[in-house]
Amino acid sequence: MQPALLKLKGRILYSQSREIVHNVLMFMEEEARNGICSIPVENAQFRTTCATGVLERSIRKIKNEAKDTTKESGLLFSTPNKQPKRKIMFQH
């Protein structure tokens, strides 16, 4: 599996993504300081919740969305409630 960092190379990380990266970094640094994993590695979804600050239900939804994508299209996630851009018709 290719590291996520390489998959995001050249892409802009906006504030929400940066906040999640910071949360994960703080979680990992805290575990490194303590020398132990505070949450068992077998409980991956809960660890992800603690590391990212994202609700466990949202993580399950993201996991299921990733399963539903085909290998041909790659791993693309939708943006909830995003409306397609409409052409604006001007009247003269």
Side-chain angles (χ1 to χ4, degrees):
M1 179 181 225
Q2 186 180 22
L5 181 65
L6 297 178
K7 291 180 182 178
L8 296 175
K9 185 176 179 179
R11 295 176 82 184
I12 296 171
L13 294 179
Y14 295 100
S15 61
Q16 192 173 29
S17 300
R18 289 173 181 267
E19 182 179 354
I20 291 172
V21 169
H22 179 262
N23 290 345
V24 171
L25 178 62
M26 294 295 104
F27 181 81
M28 299 297 171
E29 285 179 351
E30 180 67 26
E31 285 194 337
R33 274 192 296 276
N34 294 334
I36 57 168
C37 292
S38 55
I39 303 166
V41 293
E42 294 82 19
N43 197 345
Q45 287 183 358
F46 185 64
R47 283 181 60 81
T48 305
T49 293
C50 293
T52 62
V54 175
L55 294 175
E56 197 167 353
R57 181 169 172 81
S58 297
I59 290 170
R60 277 196 302 270
K61 286 180 180 180
I62 292 168
K63 183 179 176 182
N64 289 334
E65 185 179 348
K67 276 186 201 175
D68 293 342
T69 59
T70 62
K71 290 188 178 189
E72 293 173 9
S73 65
L75 189 59
L76 298 174
F77 293 100
S78 64
T79 301
N81 302 325
K82 186 173 183 179
Q83 300 294 320
K85 292 184 179 182
R86 298 181 198 173
K87 288 185 178 182
I88 299 173
M89 301 294 249
F90 292 103
Q91 290 182 327
H92 294 284

